[in-house]
Amino acid sequence: MAFTFRAVMRQYIPKRWSEFLALLSLSTTFFLFLQTRDLSMQLSNERIKHTAEGEEFLETDTILREEENEEKSRTIEGDVDAYNEREFYGKLDPMELNNTRKAKKEILFFNRVPKVGSQTAMELLKSLSIKNNFHYHKDKTQKVETIKLTYNEEKRLSNLVNTFQPSSVYVKHVCFTNFTKFNLDMPIYVNMVRDPVERVISWYYYVRAPWYFVERKRAFPDLPLPNPNWLKKDFETCVKTNDPECRYLPGHRRDGFGDHRRQTMFFCGHADDCTGFNTEVAMRKAKENVEKHYAVVGVLEELNKTLTVLEHYVPRFFKGAKDVYYNEVKIFSKINRNIYKPTTAEATKDIVRKNFTRELEFFDFCKQRLHKQYLALNLDKKP
């Protein structure tokens, strides 16, 4: 009997044990698949968040949500104000406020200002290039971003843009260039601006984010790593200790990578008079160029209004911009808050604003111009 039992054990247990192992293996594989898929999704989100593109998508989306909340809180008084504004400005003609009509070629030049939502605008243009059938061109990443060009560099840039076949878009971090001094037709200029103090705070933490140096080191292996103490320095401490990086002295000239405090410089041009920080001459020239040469200068804090004006004033390139933004581009910003940019106290911002008087005046000028362009459309409802 004992012999028979042992024979049965040898015959059946190995078979059942192998079945058990197979089932265990299958269950483990399925569990690992689920875990890997979840981790992959989290990694994808982190990769977006910890890149220059993801950080700006997030920042743009945060500002847009604030704008939407403000719009929801508006009352009938807002409509009365809009009516009074139209009475104040008189009859506004969209054609008179739109420099697109002066263009002889369908070439759009987006000489983008950093940290104003320009990465989002680039993604929007890429999507629109497919829908609206135009060519999209972008300057390559550079080891040192040179925005102020010599005369010969300006000429090369103008000739490059002039070689693009209509209809085309070219995107580059660079100051305004007047093509007519090289006997070339002007492109259709567009750009974006942002509250200048919020912008420098954004830039301050942008260049300190860990992923920023990973990207830069990957593109340019010989770049030195930054000092850890510099990386850990927060903006409030930088301002309150009168650190040279956060002094923002009027008239100060500081060229080179990382100095994007002068928003007006992107609109003033390449002349030496444009390089001094917060100067009257740079602000006046920037205003003049915007009025004469820019079809639209959008405002990050008023993105809905910006998209509406772009659709109507530059339809060849921006037709359907709002739909594309909300249905395609905005999906990139569905991520968590950027942990590398802490909140800055309003008191600290007020300290900085004292040295940004003309930068703030130029920003308000661009806001007013965009608002006039929007009012001129005489749309029934707000964007």
Side-chain angles (χ1 to χ4, degrees):
M1 182 67 180
F3 174 79
T4 304
F5 178 75
R6 286 195 296 270
V8 170
M9 290 290 288
R10 284 195 299 269
Q11 181 177 356
Y12 288 104
I13 288 182
K15 181 179 179 182
R16 291 180 179 178
W17 182 250
S18 63
E19 290 174 353
F20 172 74
L21 287 176
L23 180 61
L24 180 63
S25 176
L26 181 62
S27 301
T28 303
T29 301
F30 182 66
F31 174 76
L32 288 173
F33 166 74
L34 292 177
Q35 288 294 102
T36 303
R37 184 182 63 175
D38 183 57
L39 288 171
S40 178
M41 292 174 65
Q42 292 181 39
L43 180 62
S44 178
N45 280 343
E46 288 297 310
R47 187 179 294 117
I48 293 173
K49 181 168 67 175
H50 296 153
T51 60
E53 293 85 353
E55 192 269 348
E56 190 156 321
F57 284 132
L58 169 63
E59 201 164 37
T60 303
D61 189 54
T62 301
I63 292 171
L64 184 60
R65 285 199 302 272
E66 292 172 355
E67 180 188 357
E68 289 170 346
N69 290 335
E70 288 177 3
E71 287 182 351
K72 289 177 182 177
S73 67
R74 287 174 182 167
T75 65
I76 194 169
E77 293 178 1
D79 296 326
V80 173
D81 289 341
Y83 174 79
N84 290 336
E85 283 178 330
R86 289 188 176 92
E87 289 292 305
F88 175 77
Y89 288 120
K91 184 175 177 58
L92 295 172
D93 185 355
M95 289 299 295
E96 290 299 318
L97 295 171
N98 188 8
N99 289 324
T100 306
R101 60 189 169 83
K102 302 176 184 177
K104 296 180 181 179
K105 295 173 66 176
E106 288 185 339
I107 303 294
L108 185 81
F109 192 177
F110 178 25
N111 67 313
R112 65 185 186 118
V113 177
K115 309 312 298 170
V116 298
S118 59
Q119 185 69 45
T120 304
M122 282 172 52
E123 292 300 320
L124 177 63
L125 280 167
K126 275 196 273 189
S127 295
L128 287 171
S129 69
I130 299 170
K131 295 183 178 296
N132 293 340
N133 192 29
F134 59 81
H135 303 287
Y136 176 86
H137 308 275
K138 177 186 175 296
D139 188 34
K140 64 181 180 179
T141 302
Q142 300 177 33
K143 187 174 182 180
V144 177
E145 196 81 61
T146 304
I147 62 172
K148 181 180 180 293
L149 308 180
T150 64
Y151 180 87
N152 288 334
E153 288 171 336
E154 274 192 89
K155 187 174 183 179
R156 284 197 293 271
L157 174 64
S158 301
N159 286 327
L160 170 66
V161 175
N162 194 57
T163 61
F164 296 136
Q165 290 296 315
S167 300
S168 290
V169 167
Y170 184 59
V171 181
K172 177 179 173 62
H173 284 310
V174 70
C175 296
F176 168 80
T177 295
N178 191 334
F179 286 49
T180 59
K181 68 182 181 182
F182 305 112
N183 296 316
L184 297 172
D185 294 328
M186 289 289 286
I188 303 167
Y189 266 103
V190 295
N191 213 326
M192 297 279 293
V193 292
R194 178 183 187 178
D195 179 290
V197 175
E198 297 292 345
R199 180 175 163 270
V200 294
I201 294 172
S202 178
W203 176 260
Y204 182 91
Y205 286 111
Y206 169 78
V207 295
R208 284 170 165 79
W211 46 259
Y212 174 82
F213 289 102
V214 171
E215 286 188 343
R216 296 281 298 169
K217 194 71 174 175
R218 186 179 299 157
F220 309 105
D222 59 328
L223 281 177
L225 292 174
N227 187 310
N229 292 326
W230 180 83
L231 288 174
K232 291 186 291 185
K233 180 175 57 178
D234 65 90
F235 186 75
E236 295 206 15
T237 301
C238 186
V239 172
K240 292 177 180 178
T241 58
N242 204 27
D243 189 294
E245 186 179 2
C246 301
R247 284 180 186 169
Y248 310 112
L249 301 175
H252 184 60
R253 299 170 187 266
R254 181 184 170 190
D255 296 317
F257 178 78
D259 183 40
H260 288 299
R261 65 189 66 192
R262 300 161 295 183
Q263 190 164 228
T264 54
M265 186 173 172
F266 283 83
F267 300 88
C268 179
H270 305 275
D272 289 340
D273 286 344
C274 296
T275 60
F277 172 68
N278 200 50
T279 63
E280 179 79 18
V281 63
M283 179 195 68
R284 289 187 180 278
K285 188 61 179 177
K287 286 183 178 180
E288 179 185 329
N289 285 336
V290 168
E291 282 285 25
K292 286 184 178 179
H293 302 296
Y294 281 81
V296 177
V297 175
V299 177
L300 178 60
E301 291 85 348
E302 297 183 357
L303 191 55
N304 280 326
K305 185 181 291 183
T306 295
L307 293 174
T308 300
V309 171
L310 283 168
E311 282 187 339
H312 286 82
Y313 283 72
V314 200
R316 174 64 188 88
F317 297 96
F318 289 97
K319 180 182 177 182
K322 288 184 75 173
D323 287 340
V324 170
Y325 175 77
Y326 284 105
N327 295 325
E328 297 180 25
V329 177
K330 194 170 181 281
I331 61 173
F332 291 106
S333 62
K334 302 289 186 183
I335 52 179
N336 296 326
R337 186 177 183 275
N338 186 359
I339 62 173
Y340 300 116
K341 186 187 173 188
T343 303
T344 301
E346 289 301 318
T348 303
K349 295 178 185 178
D350 290 340
I351 294 172
V352 176
R353 288 184 193 281
K354 292 177 182 178
N355 285 353
F356 276 74
T357 52
R358 294 183 178 91
E359 288 288 329
L360 285 163
E361 183 178 335
F362 175 71
F363 173 64
D364 288 337
F365 164 81
C366 292
K367 283 178 66 177
Q368 184 183 46
R369 182 176 186 261
L370 179 73
H371 188 56
K372 284 175 66 176
Q373 287 180 312
Y374 176 73
L375 285 177
L377 296 173
N378 202 26
L379 302 177
D380 292 332
K381 61 180 181 179
K382 297 183 183 296

